[in-house]
Protein backbone atom coordinates (compact mmCIF):
# COMPACT_ATOMS: atom_id res chain seq x y z
CA UNK A 1 0.00 0.00 0.00
CA UNK A 2 1.28 3.43 -0.93
CA UNK A 3 1.28 5.98 1.89
CA UNK A 4 -1.26 8.77 1.64
CA UNK A 5 0.92 11.21 3.58
CA UNK A 6 1.69 14.41 1.65
CA UNK A 7 4.55 13.57 -0.69
CA UNK A 8 6.34 15.09 -3.67
CA UNK A 9 5.91 12.53 -6.43
CA UNK A 10 8.25 12.75 -9.39
CA UNK A 11 6.92 10.78 -12.34
CA UNK A 12 8.94 9.53 -15.30
CA UNK A 13 6.29 10.77 -17.74
CA UNK A 14 7.03 8.93 -20.98
CA UNK A 15 8.06 5.82 -19.06
CA UNK A 16 4.66 5.85 -17.33
CA UNK A 17 2.80 6.47 -20.58
CA UNK A 18 4.73 3.82 -22.53
CA UNK A 19 4.86 1.15 -19.86
CA UNK A 20 1.33 1.44 -18.63
CA UNK A 21 -1.08 3.95 -20.09
CA UNK A 22 -0.67 2.72 -23.66
CA UNK A 23 -1.99 -0.68 -22.63
CA UNK A 24 -5.60 -0.17 -23.58
CA UNK A 25 -6.20 3.34 -22.31
CA UNK A 26 -5.03 5.39 -25.27
CA UNK A 27 -3.39 4.69 -28.59
CA UNK A 28 -1.63 8.06 -28.86
CA UNK A 29 1.21 9.34 -26.69
CA UNK A 30 -0.14 12.89 -26.45
CA UNK A 31 -3.63 11.72 -25.47
CA UNK A 32 -2.22 9.28 -22.91
CA UNK A 33 -0.06 12.08 -21.44
CA UNK A 34 -3.12 14.32 -21.23
CA UNK A 35 -5.11 11.59 -19.46
CA UNK A 36 -2.24 11.02 -17.02
CA UNK A 37 -2.20 14.71 -16.04
CA UNK A 38 -5.99 14.80 -15.58
CA UNK A 39 -5.92 11.65 -13.45
CA UNK A 40 -3.15 13.05 -11.24
CA UNK A 41 -5.05 16.31 -10.81
CA UNK A 42 -8.05 14.31 -9.62
CA UNK A 43 -5.87 12.44 -7.12
CA UNK A 44 -4.70 15.72 -5.56
CA UNK A 45 -8.33 16.47 -4.70
CA UNK A 46 -9.26 13.02 -3.39
CA UNK A 47 -6.85 10.35 -2.15
CA UNK A 48 -3.57 12.27 -2.18
CA UNK A 49 -4.59 15.63 -0.76
CA UNK A 50 -1.51 17.67 0.09
CA UNK A 51 0.75 15.81 -2.33
CA UNK A 52 2.31 17.35 -5.41
CA UNK A 53 3.31 15.81 -8.73
CA UNK A 54 6.13 16.67 -11.11
CA UNK A 55 5.65 14.77 -14.34
CA UNK A 56 8.89 14.92 -16.30
CA UNK A 57 8.84 14.20 -20.04
CA UNK A 58 11.78 13.87 -22.43
CA UNK A 59 11.86 16.40 -25.25
CA UNK A 60 10.36 19.74 -26.11
CA UNK A 61 7.09 21.20 -24.87
CA UNK A 62 3.94 19.49 -26.09
CA UNK A 63 0.46 20.74 -25.42
CA UNK A 64 -1.05 18.10 -23.21
CA UNK A 65 -3.89 20.41 -22.18
CA UNK A 66 -3.03 20.70 -18.52
CA UNK A 67 -5.85 22.27 -16.57
CA UNK A 68 -4.95 24.90 -14.01
CA UNK A 69 -3.84 22.89 -11.01
CA UNK A 70 -1.42 23.99 -8.34
CA UNK A 71 -0.33 20.47 -7.45
CA UNK A 72 0.61 19.01 -10.85
CA UNK A 73 3.44 20.29 -13.05
CA UNK A 74 4.35 18.91 -16.47
CA UNK A 75 8.04 19.52 -17.16
CA UNK A 76 9.69 18.97 -20.54
CA UNK A 77 13.43 18.45 -20.85
CA UNK A 78 15.55 19.50 -23.79
CA UNK A 79 19.14 19.89 -22.62
CA UNK A 80 19.27 16.76 -20.44
CA UNK A 81 17.28 13.54 -20.32
CA UNK A 82 14.21 13.12 -18.16
CA UNK A 83 16.10 10.48 -16.16
CA UNK A 84 18.90 12.95 -15.39
CA UNK A 85 16.44 15.62 -14.26
CA UNK A 86 14.47 13.13 -12.17
CA UNK A 87 17.64 11.96 -10.44
CA UNK A 88 18.79 15.55 -9.86
CA UNK A 89 15.45 16.74 -8.44
CA UNK A 90 14.83 13.65 -6.31
CA UNK A 91 18.35 13.80 -4.87
CA UNK A 92 18.03 17.50 -4.04
CA UNK A 93 14.60 17.13 -2.41
CA UNK A 94 15.74 14.06 -0.44
CA UNK A 95 18.83 15.90 0.86
CA UNK A 96 16.56 18.78 1.91
CA UNK A 97 14.53 16.38 4.05
CA UNK A 98 11.47 16.38 1.81
CA UNK A 99 9.26 13.29 1.52
CA UNK A 100 9.83 12.29 -2.11
CA UNK A 101 8.92 9.23 -4.18
CA UNK A 102 9.77 8.55 -7.81
CA UNK A 103 7.35 6.68 -10.02
CA UNK A 104 9.17 4.83 -12.79
CA UNK A 105 9.52 1.40 -14.30
CA UNK A 106 13.02 2.19 -15.57
CA UNK A 107 15.21 -0.32 -13.72
CA UNK A 108 18.48 1.61 -14.03
CA UNK A 109 16.91 4.86 -12.79
CA UNK A 110 15.16 3.07 -9.93
CA UNK A 111 18.42 1.39 -8.88
CA UNK A 112 20.29 4.72 -8.86
CA UNK A 113 17.56 6.24 -6.70
CA UNK A 114 17.41 3.32 -4.28
CA UNK A 115 21.19 3.57 -3.81
CA UNK A 116 20.50 7.06 -2.44
CA UNK A 117 17.69 5.72 -0.22
CA UNK A 118 15.01 7.44 -2.34
CA UNK A 119 11.72 5.58 -2.52
CA UNK A 120 10.66 4.28 -5.94
CA UNK A 121 7.30 2.91 -7.04
CA UNK A 122 6.64 1.09 -10.30
CA UNK A 123 4.19 2.72 -12.68
CA UNK A 124 1.87 -0.31 -12.58
CA UNK A 125 1.89 -0.40 -8.75
CA UNK A 126 1.07 3.29 -8.44
CA UNK A 127 -1.68 3.09 -11.03
CA UNK A 128 -3.23 -0.07 -9.57
CA UNK A 129 -3.29 1.41 -6.04
CA UNK A 130 -5.22 4.48 -7.16
CA UNK A 131 -7.25 3.44 -10.20
CA UNK A 132 -10.98 2.86 -9.98
Amino acid sequence: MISKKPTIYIIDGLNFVHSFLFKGISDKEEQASHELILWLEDLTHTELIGSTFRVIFDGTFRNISQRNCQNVDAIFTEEITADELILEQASFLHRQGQRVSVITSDRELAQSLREQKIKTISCAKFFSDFSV
Side-chain angles (χ1 to χ4, degrees), residues 71-88:
N71 299 318
V72 180
D73 290 317
I75 301 165
F76 298 89
T77 64
E78 289 187 52
E79 302 298 320
I80 62 175
T81 67
D83 290 357
E84 290 169 323
L85 184 58
I86 290 166
L87 190 56
E88 179 182 299

Side-chain angles (χ1 to χ4, degrees), residues 47-127:
E47 295 160 272
L48 294 175
I49 294 170
S51 291
T52 60
F53 292 92
R54 296 177 184 182
V55 187
I56 301 178
F57 294 95
D58 282 302
T60 59
F61 175 80
R62 293 174 297 287
N63 184 6
I64 55 174
S65 304
Q66 185 177 357
R67 293 185 301 213
N68 185 21
C69 181
Q70 295 179 356
N71 299 318
V72 180
D73 290 317
I75 301 165
F76 298 89
T77 64
E78 289 187 52
E79 302 298 320
I80 62 175
T81 67
D83 290 357
E84 290 169 323
L85 184 58
I86 290 166
L87 190 56
E88 179 182 299
Q89 287 195 6
S91 298
F92 174 78
L93 292 167
H94 182 70
R95 284 192 311 272
Q96 297 299 311
Q98 298 290 321
R99 183 179 176 87
V100 62
S101 293
V102 176
I103 301 165
T104 185
S105 293
D106 181 311
R107 290 183 183 139
E108 288 180 32
L109 175 59
Q111 180 61 34
S112 295
L113 293 160
R114 285 192 297 269
E115 288 171 1
Q116 295 183 48
K117 309 291 189 232
I118 297 170
K119 182 175 181 176
T120 63
I121 305 165
S122 75
C123 300
K125 169 74 173 147
F126 185 82
F127 189 79

Side-chain angles (χ1 to χ4, degrees), residues 36-55:
L36 171 61
I37 297 298
L38 295 179
W39 177 66
L40 294 173
E41 288 178 6
D42 290 343
L43 284 180
T44 67
H45 299 292
T46 56
E47 295 160 272
L48 294 175
I49 294 170
S51 291
T52 60
F53 292 92
R54 296 177 184 182
V55 187

